[in-house]
Amino acid sequence: MRSVIDGLFVALLVAEPALAGSILYATAASQQRIDGFCLGADGALAASPSVQVGTQGRLPRRVLVGKDALGEPVLYVAEADRIEAFKIGVHGGLRPFVSPSATEPVNNLDPQDLALSPDGKTLYVTHQGFLEAFALNADGSLPKRFTSCVQGESTNTFLDAQATSGLLYVSADDIPGRIAIYRLNPDGSLPQTGCRLNNTDASKVKTPDSERKRLQRPKAFLVVGDFVYVEERALRRLTAFRLQPDGTFCDRGKDANGNVVAESCGDIAYFLPTPACARRQAKKQRQQCAASTTGRILQYEGLVLHPGGDTLLGTEFFKGRVDAYRLKPEPRLAGAPRVRLPKGPTRFSEANPVMTPVRLTATEKAVYVAGGELDRVIAFRLRADGVLADATPFSRTDEQTDSFPNDVAVATLLGSCQ
């Protein structure tokens, strides 16, 4: 009897499903591959990659984790001339789709960012000249060509992107710059088709449905609730704007009679302007006032929001450090929610002159940074509120020679990471 019971116990141990693990994928841009590093229960990085997969295109520069119709993870990679998709295996392995595994290569595509619709069914790509959208297949694979688009001018450089329910936000490095908003169709598609990189027909250029102009070289930004936080690189600061209830800016400069008035979007106090800006707006509406700003900074290559929703994290490229901004209560709003930018970082890491941090991603426990010239991924432990717990990394990978990682993404696996 004892042997039977022991046998049943062993069988139960064998049948018990493996605990779900996590893996971090990093671009090895200079080596034309993707590296995968297992994450420990405490968020620590494995020293060596358990996954190394080559990419079809050169210079992979963005990675984004999505899911197929069954909820299984998929990795999307932006490369110099195409977008590639990989099925993520139970234990973190990467497998190209049979056909097609990538979009058709396009000369001078140079994609800048990837974003997914909230339902995960549409992938958006930014680059010079126009915006692309791909209606993803049920298994998460990509069609060969974009399925919808927004035509810009040939001089428009679209940089970062974020999609919310019904809207696509993009930063555009024009002269001087703007955040543009485009309304999405109910299926997540963009309103046009047949866009071109070198369009010369001005009639085909799509005017944004809303935009905040005269931003000074914007790039990284975050839409958080009814606020947008954007970096103005020329002014070396972060700026916050309160959005209208429908998610757009106050950029309707005229009333029904064609008069330029400050109240064309309703009560100007809704947008939380500074007293000086409110006085200017009372005379003539120009651009929506900022709700708050930081002091001078250097330049952020990436901004992410901690899952807790109250802390922004950014990589300072030239100082080789990570900054954390714990949003402050806004007394002008009921309940004083944390939406106001502090004048300076709440806490920042020690500067590392060797590191040129590029993109980053955050979990509840840690923020992971693509170290650029450091040829490593590094991790900083986070407090419960999303602020850096220490000024130094608690974990890092081994050096991956000449890899220059410039983006990272974390995937939750169906099994243990191996």
Side-chain angles (χ1 to χ4, degrees), residues 21 27 138 144 185 188 259 261 280:
T27 56
K144 289 185 176 181
N185 294 321
N259 300 312
V261 292
R280 291 196 301 270

Side-chain angles (χ1 to χ4, degrees), residues 24 26-28 35 37 45-48 352 354-359 368-379 393 395-408:
L24 179 138
T27 56
D35 293 341
F37 300 89
L45 288 153
S48 301
N352 184 342
V354 179
M355 181 173 69
T356 52
V358 193
R359 300 274 186 166
Y368 302 95
V369 182
E373 291 182 2
L374 194 63
D375 288 339
R376 304 172 189 261
V377 177
I378 62 174
S395 179
R396 68 179 66 198
T397 66
D398 288 340
E399 180 181 356
Q400 305 299 307
T401 305
D402 296 330
S403 60
F404 198 90
N406 55 15
D407 197 16
V408 288

